[in-house]
Amino acid sequence: MTYLKIRKFSLVLLLSLGCSTSQWAQAQPPDIALARQYAQNKEYDKAIPVFKHIYEQAPFDKGVYDEYLDALVAAGKYTDAETLVQYMMKIRREDPVMLLDLGRVYDADNKKKKATEQYDAALEAVSGEEFRTRQLADAFTRMGNTDYALKVYDRARTLSRNPYAYGTEMALLYGKKGNAEGASAALMDVLVTQPNALDDVKASLLKITEGDERKLEMVRKQIGKRISAQPDNPYWVELMTWIYTQKGDYAGAFQSVVALDKKMKEAGERVMTFAGSAIKDGQPVIAQQCYEYVMQKGKEGPMYDQAWAGKIDVLQTQVAGKKPVDERQVAVLLKEYHNFLQEYPQYNTSTLVQAYAEALARYGHQVDSAIALLEKAITAPNASREFVGYCKLDLGDYNLLQDKVWNATLLYSQVDKAFKEDRLAEEARFRNAKLAYYRGDFKWAQQQLAVLKASTSELIANDALYLSVLITENSAGDSIQPALQRFAAADMLLFQNKTRESDQLLDSIAKAFPDNALQDDILLLRAKIAGEEGRNNDAVTYLEKILKDYGTDVLGDDAAYRLALLYDEVLKDKARALQYYEVLITQYPGSTYIQAARARYQKLKDPKDS
């Protein structure tokens, strides 16, 4: 049949049907469903005649043709399949995808040489024009021939004289092949033409490297080559910095980001951002190096004060994290605060002053100085209303450190009245309720806690719930009331940093009230005391005893979570930390710590995904 006759036949067929090809697809007889069912069941002897019948009525329906061809190839009827494709090639003679169909038939028939000839012929049809390039590459991809799909893109790159085109597509294909090197190289090609795609490139590289040290090192070497070829492109250095962090090499990352800062003649902004990331990732030493680098640019630098403030914040984090407190570290910290506020008095009404007061009161044992500092700050004309509120809450705490209970409750009440339904008011009410608990006024404390259990702040609500349950469970009879009063007093002593006195008072409870119901609460408080004194092994012992003897009570999840944190952040025992996170997640699914535990577990299990 000549091409002209085929065209005439097709026109007559369409006119007689009175519908377009797409309309035909919508009006197919039910036989097509039957044919598909036969094919799915591998009953090709039944499927093929039905497909053939439908195809002969609609030879231009590409969908029917594809299913018919698939059935012939699956049944091993290669001669019939070849005849079908060759006939279709006459109808779609401008479509190079037909060459792939013929090649697929030859491949299935183990005629590899003839198959390759067809694929190469299709490859020759690539002209660099985008539509034809994508059409052929997609067709090769659908048939699982990623090698030829890559060849299509390579040829299009050459002909279009654009060596960076189709980077995303090629990265996906290399990824399917498990070729991490090719995939990462293609992604870097994307970055050449689309610098705004940096975050997407990072996300894709994470999937490709899978946290594997060898793959990460391979990517690092590739980036090094790009830096050598394009030394003025800042994106390569930024990507190198990121790779260093993925490898856990924060020292290398620091050097990289500093090099970029110097190359771009920046004022340290990028280094400051990296310092924030280092703190988040638990790298305070690197963060401090970042801040010191920015400070070395001189006081005239636009970020000098921010860098100094950041350095002080790192120092305070280090002081707070070391138990017992290192007096020399505290002295250095307090000196830094003093010098900074002398140099930049405008910070006297900022959160930095609150942190300074905390360092004075909590670590430097200079409560009077902390109170004087905050009292001066809240009278400053430029002090914001919210700043004053938070400072008064802190002032209440520091007065409580000195046993000035009336002053403390007065300050809390002032904040409660000034901010009413605000978050600050809820915080003030909770502190007043806890102060009442410390003093043994359990009835009044319960009245306040009943409202606070519905707080919009999850932290306040959880703390209020715990304290309410503690009071309820241990106030049932007059005989237990004195034990709870001693326990509350021990809790207050711990708040006042009087750990030894607190521990001694807890001892007295066991002796005076041997049958008290506070055993798990006492163990938890002793674990906190041990932690404050740096007796981490003792803290582990107390918490493990809670899990063993009182695991089904209300403090079971607290003990599991505190053990996990202790092993994670202090003892640096990854295996044990994971063990206790798993205990919390599996045995206490309703715990308020569940979300935090899952996040920490995932970060510890696979830090590259976090």
Side-chain angles (χ1 to χ4, degrees):
M1 185 182 292
T2 66
Y3 177 68
L4 185 59
K5 288 181 179 179
I6 292 171
R7 292 287 300 274
K8 183 176 181 181
F9 166 76
S10 64
L11 180 60
V12 171
L13 178 61
L14 288 173
L15 289 172
S16 66
L17 290 172
C19 61
S20 66
T21 304
S22 61
Q23 289 172 318
W24 163 260
Q26 296 173 5
Q28 290 179 42
D31 288 347
I32 189 71
L34 181 62
R36 287 169 180 161
Q37 187 62 52
Y38 285 144
Q40 187 176 349
N41 295 336
K42 298 184 179 180
E43 299 178 83
Y44 299 114
D45 57 327
K46 296 179 181 179
I48 289 172
V50 181
F51 278 130
K52 181 179 180 183
H53 172 72
I54 299 170
Y55 171 74
E56 287 176 346
Q57 295 181 64
F60 295 98
D61 190 318
K62 184 69 165 54
V64 173
Y65 156 77
D66 286 337
E67 291 185 89
Y68 182 21
L69 178 61
D70 288 344
L72 288 171
V73 172
K77 295 183 177 295
Y78 303 123
T79 301
D80 291 343
E82 182 180 355
T83 301
L84 173 64
V85 176
Q86 288 176 338
Y87 176 72
M88 197 67 170
M89 290 174 77
K90 295 175 182 177
I91 297 175
R92 304 174 68 93
R93 61 175 59 197
E94 300 298 324
D95 187 356
V97 174
M98 294 296 103
L99 296 168
L100 273 65
D101 285 348
L102 190 56
R104 181 160 70 96
V105 173
Y106 289 143
D107 246 337
D109 197 17
N110 207 29
K111 297 177 180 178
K112 302 299 181 183
K113 183 177 180 182
K114 295 184 74 173
T116 300
E117 288 174 356
Q118 297 302 313
Y119 299 151
D120 287 341
L123 194 60
E124 287 297 319
V126 177
S127 63
E129 188 269 328
E130 185 174 359
F131 174 79
R132 180 53 51 82
T133 297
R134 293 188 183 279
Q135 180 192 31
L136 277 173
D138 289 345
F140 274 121
T141 301
R142 282 194 300 273
M143 62 185 288
N145 196 330
T146 53
D147 287 333
Y148 264 90
L150 286 166
K151 288 180 180 180
V152 169
Y153 286 128
D154 270 330
R155 178 172 168 79
R157 280 180 162 190
T158 301
L159 293 173
S160 64
R161 297 181 181 179
N162 183 355
Y164 304 113
Y166 308 109
T168 302
E169 294 81 356
M170 294 181 77
L172 289 172
L173 291 170
Y174 278 121
K176 285 184 178 181
K177 287 170 59 66
N179 185 339
E181 186 171 3
S184 57
L187 284 169
M188 289 179 211
D189 288 342
V190 173
L191 200 56
V192 173
T193 56
Q194 303 174 52
N196 291 335
L198 181 61
D199 288 339
D200 293 334
V201 168
K202 288 178 181 178
S204 297
L205 283 172
L206 271 182
K207 293 179 180 178
I208 291 168
T209 55
E210 302 172 316
D212 183 271
E213 184 68 27
R214 183 184 58 81
K215 291 178 181 179
L216 286 167
E217 179 59 20
M218 174 268 297
V219 173
R220 188 195 66 77
K221 288 180 179 178
Q222 284 191 350
I223 299 171
K225 293 178 181 178
R226 301 276 180 155
I227 291 174
S228 297
Q230 295 179 305
D232 295 328
N233 188 336
Y235 293 101
W236 298 130
V237 182
E238 187 168 342
L239 196 59
M240 179 69 88
T241 302
W242 177 78
I243 281 292
Y244 276 127
T245 61
Q246 297 307 303
K247 286 166 60 67
D249 183 2
Y250 283 84
F254 170 68
Q255 292 174 359
S256 180
V257 76
V258 165
L260 183 57
D261 178 79
K262 291 177 178 177
K263 182 182 290 292
M264 301 298 292
K265 293 182 171 58
E266 296 176 334
E269 183 175 356
R270 191 185 303 270
V271 180
M272 291 287 287
T273 300
F274 178 66
S277 299
I279 291 172
K280 183 180 177 183
D281 293 340
Q283 300 289 329
V285 174
I286 296 296
Q288 187 166 338
Q289 289 176 358
C290 291
Y291 293 132
E292 288 173 349
Y293 165 79
V294 176
M295 291 177 69
Q296 287 168 6
K297 290 178 176 288
K299 292 183 180 180
E300 64 279 1
M303 306 196 78
Y304 183 86
D305 60 328
Q306 296 176 45
W308 195 356
K311 177 186 173 183
I312 292 172
D313 186 54
V314 170
L315 289 173
Q316 181 139 340
T317 301
Q318 291 173 323
V319 166
K322 188 173 179 60
K323 305 294 183 180
V325 171
D326 186 325
E327 299 297 336
R328 288 174 298 179
Q329 280 188 326
V330 174
V332 170
L333 174 64
L334 296 180
K335 184 178 181 181
E336 288 283 343
Y337 269 124
H338 175 77
N339 292 341
F340 179 84
L341 290 172
Q342 289 291 312
E343 187 78 24
Y344 298 101
Q346 64 268 32
Y347 280 84
N348 276 311
T349 52
S350 73
T351 55
L352 185 136
V353 167
Q354 291 174 255
Y356 183 20
E358 180 185 21
L360 285 166
R362 293 287 182 184
Y363 312 123
H365 310 296
Q366 300 177 37
V367 182
D368 285 335
S369 297
I371 291 174
L373 180 69
L374 292 182
E375 285 179 341
K376 181 180 179 182
I378 63 178
T379 58
N382 60 330
S384 71
R385 179 171 173 269
E386 189 175 72
F387 171 75
V388 170
Y390 278 112
C391 284
K392 283 189 174 184
L393 288 179
D394 291 342
L395 279 168
D397 289 350
Y398 303 150
N399 272 274
L400 190 54
L401 291 180
Q402 297 182 322
D403 286 320
K404 296 177 181 178
V405 175
W406 173 250
N407 287 356
T409 192
L410 182 63
L411 286 160
Y412 296 150
S413 298
Q414 287 176 358
V415 176
D416 185 1
K417 183 179 179 180
F419 289 88
K420 295 185 179 177
E421 301 308 317
D422 192 276
R423 163 78 180 273
L424 265 170
E426 289 188 338
E427 181 63 45
R429 284 175 210 145
F430 178 71
R431 295 193 195 194
N432 246 335
K434 195 158 190 179
L435 181 53
Y437 150 76
Y438 287 150
R439 292 162 50 208
D441 189 352
F442 302 129
K443 184 177 180 180
W444 191 87
Q446 278 286 50
Q447 291 173 356
Q448 303 304 307
L449 295 170
V451 178
L452 287 166
K453 285 187 287 187
S455 169
T456 54
S457 164
E458 185 177 356
L459 181 61
I460 292 175
N462 290 340
D463 288 345
L465 179 62
Y466 165 72
L467 196 54
S468 178
V469 170
L470 174 68
I471 295 171
T472 300
E473 289 189 344
N474 296 283
S475 298
D478 292 339
S479 61
I480 198 67
Q481 191 84 357
L484 182 59
Q485 287 176 332
R486 289 198 193 188
F487 180 83
D491 204 351
M492 180 172 169
L493 287 169
L494 176 58
F495 176 81
Q496 294 174 323
N497 297 325
K498 299 174 182 178
T499 54
R500 183 177 301 177
E501 294 92 329
S502 178
D503 213 11
Q504 289 173 347
L505 189 54
L506 291 174
D507 262 340
S508 75
I509 297 174
K511 294 174 183 176
F513 310 99
D515 298 324
N516 73 82
L518 287 162
Q519 298 300 327
D520 52 344
D521 299 285
I522 290 172
L523 287 169
L524 185 63
L525 199 58
R526 298 195 103 155
K528 292 178 182 177
I529 292 169
E532 288 297 315
E533 294 180 345
R535 296 183 288 109
N536 297 314
N537 290 334
D538 289 342
V540 167
T541 300
Y542 292 133
L543 294 170
E544 286 182 339
K545 186 170 177 58
I546 294 175
L547 275 181
K548 180 183 176 183
D549 297 343
Y550 309 97
T552 57
D553 289 344
V554 293
L555 294 183
D557 62 328
D558 285 83
Y561 189 59
R562 289 175 187 274
L563 275 167
L565 288 180
L566 192 56
Y567 279 116
D568 188 358
E569 298 180 343
V570 181
L571 299 176
K572 305 298 181 183
D573 187 333
K574 177 179 176 180
R576 283 296 188 92
L578 286 170
Q579 174 190 335
Y580 284 109
Y581 283 133
E582 286 177 359
V583 167
L584 179 69
I585 293 167
T586 57
Q587 296 183 22
Y588 304 96
S591 170
T592 55
Y593 301 115
I594 198 73
Q595 290 184 349
R598 282 177 177 154
R600 287 177 172 274
Y601 177 86
Q602 185 60 40
K603 183 176 181 180
L604 206 59
K605 190 78 172 175
D606 192 354
K608 304 306 178 187
D609 285 346
S610 58

